[in-house]
Amino acid sequence: MKVLIIEDETNLATDIQSYFADSLIVCEIASNIRDASERISLYNYDCILLDLGLPDGSGFEILHELKTLKKTDSVIIISAKNSLDDKLKGLEIGADDYLTKPFHMAELAMRMMAVTRRKLFDGKNVVEAGGIELNLVHNTVKYQEEFVELTPREFRLLRFFLSSQSKVLSKTAIADHLLGDQVDFVDSDKLVYAHIKNLKKKLQQVNCPDYVKTIYGIGYKFSLE
Amino acid sequence: MKLLDKSFKPFAFMTIILVLISIPLFYFVVVYIYTVDADQSLKNNKLRIEDQLNHLYPQSKTAVLRIRLLNELDIGYKIISMDTFPAERGDRFYTAERFDQYSNSIRPYRYLETVIDIFDNEYLLKAEVDMEEYFDVIPYTTAVAGLFFFFILVGYYFINRFIAGRVWQPFYKTLDRLSRLQIHKGDALVPVDTDIEEFQQMNENLLFFTNRSQSAYNQQKEFTENASHELQTPLAVLQAKSDLLMQSDLSEAQYALLDQINLTIGRMNRLNKNLLLLTKIENKQFIPNERINLSDTIKETIDLYMVSFKERNLEVVDQVTPNITIQGNRALIETLINSLLTNSISHNIDGGSVIILLNEKNLIIKNTGISNDLGEDKIFKRFNKGAKNTDGSGLGLAICEEICNMHQMKITYRYFDQLHSFRISNIVKIS
C-alpha cells in the first residue's frame, strides 16, 4: 500500500514512515504544497495523510486539487486543530477522515485500514487474521465459521488489534480508542483490562488460540506467532 | 456611603452643632437685652417719679399723700420712708419672682431699689417691671429660629440631591456603564457626553484602561488558543516516538517507563484539549440550539460507566425522571454529564455510592468520597485540585461551570451528610 504523508513537521512524518516500515505500507513524504501537488499529479496513492497547516498554504488546496484531478486517493486529515468547522469542511471537500494531533500510531493504522479497506481487501468488508473473520458491515465476528458474540466495545477492540497486528499497543492507545473523548478518566487502565479479559474469554470459548499477548508494563500485542 | 451623602453629612453635622450652640446663646442674649431694657425703663421711671413728686405738688404734704396713694394702688412702685427702712444710696437692680394675685401665678419681675429725695426727705423707691411677657417671647423666638435651621437643612438636602445630583450625573452614568461592562463579551465603554473637564479627563482615562484590559483579554484568549494548538504538534511527535520506541525489544522496566511517558502525554493532551474547550465556550463557538433528551443522555452515560461502577463496588441510585428535554449544545451537555459522573467515580471510595437525581428543574449528583468539604467557592476555579485528585487536568469543573453558565443553568456544590453533592438548577424543560 502506498501512502503519501503531507506534513511539514518532518520529525513526525519520518516517525510515521518508520512505524510502518516493517509492514506492506510504503510511505513517501512531502513537506509542502508544491512538493505534494507534484507527487499527486504523477502518482496514485492508496492513502494520503494531510496536514492542514502547511508553510506555503492550507491543506485544503490539496483536497481541491485531488478533486479536479478526479483522483480517488483516500485522504485522512491530520490536524492540530480539533475544529468542527475544519472537520466538516475537509469531509465536504473529499477527505475520508479527520484525526486530531496528537494521535497514536495504532489509531492512525486503524483509520488507514478503514478508509482503504475497499482497495486492501478487494472490496470485501471482511478482515481476516489467524482464522478470525471480522465483518465490518454487519459488525460480526467468526472464528472458523463459528460466530462469537461481542459487545460493540469488544468488537472495536478486536478490530483495533487486527489493524495493528504484531504491533505493541499501549494501554493509553487502547483506552483512547475505546473511550474517545471520555478518556478523561482515572480508571481507564482497569477499563481496558476488563475489556481485554472479556474478549479473550469469548475467543477462548470458540477454541481460538490466545493471539492477544500481554506486554508487561505497557500494553498488549496481537500476534499470530 | 454615597458620594452625595458624604457631602451632606458634614453640613448636617455643622447645622446641628450650630443649633445646639445657638439656642442657649440666643436665650442669654435675649435675656440680657430684655434685662438691660427693663433696667433702663426702671431708671427712667425712677427719674420721672422723683421729678414728678418734687415738682407737680407745691407742698411736701401733698406729695406724701400721693406717695401713699401710689403705694396703695400697688401698680409696681413702692416708696418707703428711710426712717422705717434705711438703705444706702445708689441703684440696685435684681430679678426675683413673686406671686401675682391678678394673674394668679408666680411671675418673674425686675426690681430697682434706689433712694430718691422728695422735698429733701430720703425715700426708698422699689420699682418693678413684669418680665413675664418678655420671657414668653423667648421659647417662640427659639422655636422660629430652630425651624429656620431645619428648613436650611432640608433645603440643603434637596439642593444637594437635585442640583448636585445633576452635576454628578455624568459620573453616575459612567459608573453604571462601567459596572455593566463585560470585557469578556467584547463590550467597549461608551463615554458619557459631558462638558465638565474633570469628567472628560476621567472618561479618557477609563477608555484607555478598559480598552487596554479588553485587548489584554483578547490577547490572553488568543494566546491560550495558539499555545494549545502549537503544543499539539510537538505532542504528536512525542506520541509517535513513544509508539515507535514501544515496538523495539525493551525490558519490562523500560516498558514501565514508556508507559509513564504515555500517560503523561495523554494528560498533557487532555489538559490542552480542556483549555481549548474552555476558550471555545468563552468565545461562544458552541450554539445551544439542539433538542437534547437529558434523561436519555444521563441513562446512557450511566450505562457507559456500569463497568466502572461495578469495578469499584459502587452502589448506584438513579432516580431519573424520563423525557426531560432541554435545548442546548449536545456535545457540551454530554461533556457536562460525563465529567460529573466520572468525577463521582474517580473521587469515590471503594464500596461507596453514587446518587443521581433528575427532576423537571434540578439535576443532582451525589457521591461518597475521600476528602471532606472541598469548598463551594473554590471548587469551580481553574486548576483547583481536590485533595486526592492527581490525574485530572484541574479544568473539569471549570468547564462544567462554563457549560452551565452558557445554558443559563446554575451549578452549585455542597458537602452535606458526608456526601459531595453537585446540583444543577434552573433546568428549563421544553416540550
Side-chain angles (χ1 to χ4, degrees):
Chain A
M1 183 165 90
K2 259 174 76 179
V3 174
L4 176 64
I5 306 166
I6 307 172
E7 163 70 63
D8 64 325
E9 181 70 44
T10 43
N11 225 331
L12 181 61
T14 49
D15 284 343
I16 297 172
Q17 199 176 31
S18 330
Y19 186 83
F20 294 113
D22 60 350
S23 63
L24 293 168
I25 300 169
V26 181
C27 299
E28 287 176 16
I29 299 172
S31 57
N32 53 51
I33 291 195
R34 223 185 48 185
D35 195 9
S37 52
E38 200 180 297
R39 279 172 194 267
I40 57 168
S41 61
L42 290 174
Y43 314 105
N44 285 322
Y45 294 92
D46 298 297
C47 184
I48 294 172
L49 304 181
L50 177 63
D51 184 15
L52 289 181
L54 291 165
D56 53 349
S58 155
F60 290 122
E61 291 173 33
I62 300 288
L63 282 177
H64 283 296
E65 208 167 320
L66 283 169
K67 216 173 185 181
T68 35
L69 289 170
K70 294 199 166 60
K71 294 259 182 181
T72 54
D73 311 21
S74 306
V75 177
I76 297 175
I77 292 173
I78 44 172
S79 169
K81 270 194 184 174
N82 180 20
S83 139
L84 190 64
D85 287 344
D86 279 0
K87 221 176 264 188
L88 292 176
K89 189 177 170 192
L91 296 178
E92 199 187 331
I93 304 177
D96 298 87
D97 207 346
Y98 191 104
L99 197 56
T100 310
K101 290 178 188 173
F103 47 81
H104 294 280
M105 289 298 152
E107 184 67 36
L108 178 66
M110 218 232 75
R111 305 281 186 109
M112 278 163 62
M113 184 190 90
V115 298
T116 59
R117 65 179 178 235
R118 282 161 293 148
K119 288 165 192 166
L120 269 182
F121 302 107
D122 304 320
K124 285 190 296 176
N125 279 314
V126 176
V127 191
E128 196 273 336
I132 302 173
E133 280 182 30
L134 231 68
N135 188 313
L136 298 174
V137 174
H138 299 108
N139 288 355
T140 53
V141 179
K142 271 194 283 188
Y143 177 71
Q144 293 182 343
E145 298 306 313
E146 197 176 341
F147 280 103
V148 188
E149 283 295 322
L150 295 183
T151 65
R153 271 211 197 139
E154 287 157 2
F155 182 85
R156 289 185 61 177
L157 183 60
L158 186 58
R159 191 177 61 168
F160 197 48
F161 275 128
L162 288 187
S163 62
S164 285
Q165 291 175 40
S166 307
K167 294 277 187 200
V168 178
L169 305 186
S170 65
K171 286 176 281 186
T172 48
I174 297 170
D176 280 342
H177 181 68
L178 289 185
L179 294 171
D181 279 342
Q182 283 146 1
V183 83
D184 202 350
F185 188 33
V186 191
D187 285 348
S188 57
D189 272 13
K190 281 184 184 167
L191 213 73
V192 169
Y193 176 74
H195 279 98
I196 287 185
K197 205 174 70 180
N198 291 342
L199 176 67
K200 279 181 162 190
K201 210 195 284 169
K202 286 182 180 174
L203 288 173
Q204 230 171 358
Q205 280 166 358
V206 291
N207 299 314
C208 174
D210 190 5
Y211 295 130
V212 180
K213 313 257 181 320
T214 304
I215 310 295
Y216 285 102
I218 188 96
Y220 304 89
K221 181 164 146 181
F222 184 93
S223 171
L224 297 176
E225 288 144 32
Chain B
M1 185 190 271
K2 289 254 173 111
L3 180 79
L4 294 185
D5 292 341
K6 186 113 190 162
S7 62
F8 176 69
K9 209 183 164 185
F11 182 82
F13 186 68
M14 186 203 73
T15 312
I16 287 165
I17 293 277
L18 277 183
V19 169
L20 289 179
I21 293 174
S22 69
I23 289 173
L25 198 71
F26 193 72
Y27 175 82
F28 286 120
V29 168
V30 170
V31 167
Y32 176 76
I33 291 170
Y34 283 166
T35 310
V36 168
D37 203 33
D39 291 357
Q40 191 61 53
S41 80
L42 282 170
K43 227 183 222 169
N44 290 344
N45 285 351
K46 168 204 161 189
L47 289 176
R48 206 183 302 158
I49 285 169
E50 198 174 20
D51 188 56
Q52 296 275 7
L53 285 176
N54 277 320
H55 300 105
L56 208 60
Y57 311 107
Q59 296 165 17
S60 70
K61 205 180 162 192
T62 333
V64 171
L65 282 172
R66 293 290 176 261
I67 287 168
R68 193 179 297 157
L69 177 69
L70 209 57
N71 282 340
E72 279 164 4
L73 276 175
D74 190 19
I75 49 166
Y77 304 101
K78 282 215 157 49
I79 300 167
I80 306 153
S81 166
M82 285 287 274
D83 303 335
T84 52
F85 208 94
E88 283 174 39
R89 292 194 76 90
D91 298 341
R92 284 183 303 283
F93 293 100
Y94 62 92
T95 309
E97 285 177 343
R98 72 163 173 84
F99 183 79
D100 174 58
Q101 57 182 347
Y102 296 104
S103 65
N104 196 24
S105 63
I106 297 170
R107 300 164 76 105
Y109 290 90
R110 187 73 180 166
Y111 289 98
L112 167 65
E113 281 186 11
T114 188
V115 175
I116 49 172
D117 296 307
I118 298 164
F119 293 102
D120 298 326
N121 285 323
E122 285 188 324
Y123 285 87
L124 177 71
L125 170 69
K126 202 173 170 187
E128 63 177 26
V129 169
D130 189 352
M131 296 288 274
E132 176 74 11
E133 280 74 24
Y134 293 128
F135 282 10
D136 270 354
V137 173
I138 293 173
Y140 292 118
T141 327
T142 313
V144 169
L147 200 66
F148 270 99
F149 272 120
F150 176 73
F151 284 149
I152 289 172
L153 207 60
V154 171
Y156 183 79
Y157 180 79
F158 283 106
I159 286 171
N160 205 34
R161 267 285 119 116
F162 294 112
I163 311 274
R166 193 170 298 168
V167 171
W168 283 99
Q169 204 184 38
F171 174 78
Y172 283 112
K173 261 193 184 162
T174 309
L175 202 63
D176 182 52
R177 286 184 190 177
L178 210 55
S179 60
R180 278 188 290 139
L181 196 69
Q182 288 179 304
I183 295 283
H184 66 278
K185 285 187 178 164
D187 290 1
L189 182 72
V190 183
V192 178
D193 203 24
T194 173
D195 53 359
I196 300 170
E197 203 178 310
E198 282 86 348
F199 289 151
Q200 286 170 350
Q201 217 172 333
M202 182 177 77
N203 279 342
E204 275 169 32
N205 283 314
L206 279 178
L207 266 178
F208 174 74
F209 284 114
T210 50
N211 287 344
R212 209 168 66 164
S213 69
Q214 180 107 55
S215 70
Y217 181 80
N218 287 338
Q219 269 170 22
Q220 187 210 330
K221 265 197 328 200
E222 261 171 51
F223 177 79
T224 316
E225 202 167 346
N226 290 340
S228 299
H229 278 147
E230 289 307 317
L231 273 173
Q232 306 278 74
T233 305
L235 274 174
V237 175
L238 213 54
Q239 185 67 70
K241 302 239 182 263
S242 161
D243 283 351
L244 208 54
L245 186 58
M246 209 185 300
Q247 308 310 324
S248 12
D249 206 5
L250 300 180
S251 74
E252 208 176 297
Q254 286 168 326
Y255 272 134
L257 279 176
L258 207 49
D259 187 48
Q260 293 300 313
I261 293 174
N262 265 337
L263 281 174
T264 313
I265 298 172
R267 249 182 86 184
M268 272 181 79
N269 187 26
R270 284 201 296 280
L271 185 61
N272 223 4
K273 274 189 182 165
N274 283 341
L275 265 178
L276 265 175
L277 182 61
L278 257 182
T279 319
K280 279 184 184 169
I281 299 172
E282 282 176 351
N283 285 353
K284 303 244 173 297
Q285 286 177 22
F286 294 96
I287 305 157
N289 60 354
E290 293 162 277
R291 282 177 66 90
I292 305 153
N293 188 322
L294 195 58
S295 315
D296 288 353
T297 309
I298 292 168
K299 280 281 186 193
E300 281 160 21
T301 318
I302 295 172
D303 286 346
L304 193 66
Y305 290 112
M306 229 31 189
V307 182
S308 309
F309 287 130
K310 281 183 188 143
E311 195 84 39
R312 301 282 309 268
N313 256 330
L314 300 175
E315 185 201 357
V316 183
V317 182
D318 66 304
Q319 291 171 11
V320 177
T321 312
N323 293 322
I324 304 272
T325 308
I326 60 165
Q327 187 170 334
N329 183 285
R330 181 174 298 278
L332 291 185
I333 293 294
E334 282 172 359
T335 305
L336 174 68
I337 305 295
N338 202 60
S339 201
L340 289 176
L341 268 183
T342 49
N343 266 346
S344 77
I345 299 168
S346 53
H347 299 294
N348 219 319
I349 41 172
D350 287 336
S353 58
V354 177
I355 302 161
I356 303 143
L357 306 168
L358 174 72
N359 59 30
E360 310 232 320
K361 289 251 159 68
N362 302 296
L363 167 65
I364 300 167
I365 297 179
K366 285 194 248 190
N367 64 277
T368 48
I370 338 142
S371 42
N372 294 330
D373 196 340
L374 299 168
E376 45 194 296
D377 44 342
K378 59 178 187 189
I379 193 166
F380 296 107
K381 292 235 169 79
R382 288 169 198 199
F383 302 116
N384 170 60
K385 294 196 174 182
K388 297 273 174 186
N389 177 3
T390 46
D391 272 22
S393 64
L395 289 172
L397 285 173
I399 291 174
C400 288
E401 195 183 27
E402 281 296 334
I403 294 175
C404 287
N405 286 348
M406 192 195 129
H407 287 85
Q408 270 87 44
M409 301 186 295
K410 193 173 154 58
I411 185 165
T412 47
Y413 164 81
R414 265 189 79 196
Y415 183 71
F416 181 71
D417 218 4
Q418 269 149 33
L419 287 172
H420 299 276
S421 160
F422 288 91
R423 171 200 289 265
I424 295 175
S425 44
N426 282 352
I427 292 176
V428 180
K429 192 189 161 193
I430 56 168
S431 48

